[in-house]
Amino acid sequence: MLDLPAPRALPSNEPTLSYAPGSPERAALKEALVAVGAEVPDIPHIVGGLHLREGAPREVRSPQRHQRVLGVFHEGGGAMAERAIGAALAAAPAWAETPFDERARIFLRAAELAAGPFRQVLNAATMLGQGKTAHQAEIDSACELVDFLRFNVAFATQLISQPLSAPGAFNAVELRPLEGFVLAVTPFNFTAIAGNLPSAPALMGNVVVWKPAETQSLAAYHLARLFEAAGVPPGVINVVHGDGPSVGDACTRHPEFAGLHFTGSTRVFQSFYRAVGDNIARYRTYPRLVGETGGKDFVLAHPSADVDELAVALVRGAFEFQGQKCSAASRAYVPRSLWARLRARLVELVAELVVGDVEDFRVLMGAVIDERAYARLITWQARMNSDAGAERVTGGGASRETGWFVEPTIYRVDDPGHSIFHEELFGPVLAVFVYEDASLDETLDLIDRTSPYALTGAVLSRDRAFVAEAARRLRNAAGNFYVNDKPTGAVVGQQPFGGARASGTNDKAGSALNLLRWVSPRTVKETWVPPREVGYPSMREA
Ligand code: SIN
């Protein structure tokens, strides 16, 4: 039967609440921080609707207070992944037969729950477990999550452009889910992405095994509760916690592995591609691989740029959420003519920036996610602090006493080929190259060829001709290109997000392009009055 949903208009973006002193949302969030922090849940795997607490227990700790335990999850591994695959495949026939409108209603209910009763729970879990400020949590686990859920429904209804039906026949295209199951592997840095990666394929009729990042287990637990409360049937989204490689192996070896929806590191995504290549002859269908990975996102300042605007774009772009966004500004190219003024302004702004526990609402930067991230970043700082070719403009220190705090750090580096300009650090470290104003043209080439990534980039300029030239020359250097803005903060429905080159498959999360990857179209032709002779008129004798 063809399932043709009525096209729906695009919704509006979920409004961002302010959390200003005295606001009701601020009081509600403070209450939720206490309640969510006190719960310390024993987080289950969810397999075919069953809550399973099997496997070695592992603590979830707060990045800003690493002695504080926020919950416990269980090491699932390959065996639990195989059970989840079994449960997913058992649920697949009924879910694929469920009319689109019914599936849509479940995810629209999830959106309402996320906007309402779950809003402050998810915000609190994201603040406590991932170290986001109230504002960063709100734009992620509230607004972006709700937008993904609502916009995906609307985009899905707009996917089918039905073919022509010539007289005597009826033609249609039906969007079928993929045969098999989809693996969703989600990152620590966005609760919204953790919600979107399993729910987008599920909306399109697929069944899913979802492996959340260990460091995002607390918010993932509340997201899984949200999906259950919305009415996602048992087996449609199965959650397996714990060791990623063994879950990945169990899934990529399985003949019914139909797709991967991934956000995370370039190295891990490449290992999935490799595993799929190694197993290619086993599969019933060619798996769809959709991945968003790293970035080395640039900001290019033209000599006409406004220094105050540039400084704010750099500080927000590089340091919000501790630089742990794939989109974070991590390399800046600044003309000699602006550098002295910009340097002074950056030092001033960073000195005013409050770093600390995000439960203190004055804070703009919290702790980095865990000890591994902290160790990687202080190793970089030590290396750069003693590099004769690098000037430490601000920061360069860290503290692990209560939490994993790394100072907002800026280096001006002489060599534009230095590894700090092409390796992703994923933390609050910005590298600046000061170019001679006369070398602007070469600087465009330098930006394009320095890093293997191509996720986001920004140009700040008051010269429109230069903006056009930079957009043309940097066409393939970023999947999200910003003019006179920071390179972070894409909004669903407004700036579809994703990049190419080493940054991923550029399938633009939260857009119709992404949803198309989760369906396999079937064309149906029905002829009203079939012919009763083999020959054609041209074959008759005159
Ligand atoms: C991300 O996916 O890491 C960031 C999205 C954004 O900031 O635009």
Side-chain angles (χ1 to χ4, degrees), residues 144 189-190 193 263 292 324-327 482 487-490 497:
E144 191 172 358
N189 62 342
F190 277 86
I193 295 176
T263 295
E292 193 233 300
Q324 299 172 119
K325 301 186 184 191
C326 319
S327 55
Y482 293 83
T488 59
F497 189 76

Side-chain angles (χ1 to χ4, degrees), residues 46-49 80-92 95 107 177-178 180-186 193-212 227 232-240 247 251 256-262 518:
I46 303 179
V47 174
M80 190 58 72
E82 273 160 27
R83 286 166 71 178
I85 295 168
L89 295 175
W95 187 239
F107 289 104
L178 307 180
F181 71 93
V182 172
L183 169 64
V185 176
T186 62
I193 295 176
N196 182 50
L197 267 49
S199 63
L203 171 69
M204 303 315 289
N206 297 279
V207 288
V208 178
V209 174
W210 170 26
K211 161 70 184 80
F227 290 142
V232 176
V236 170
I237 296 179
N238 303 277
V239 191
V240 179
V247 174
C251 291
E256 303 273 346
F257 176 62
L260 169 70
H261 206 189
F262 176 92
W518 309 119

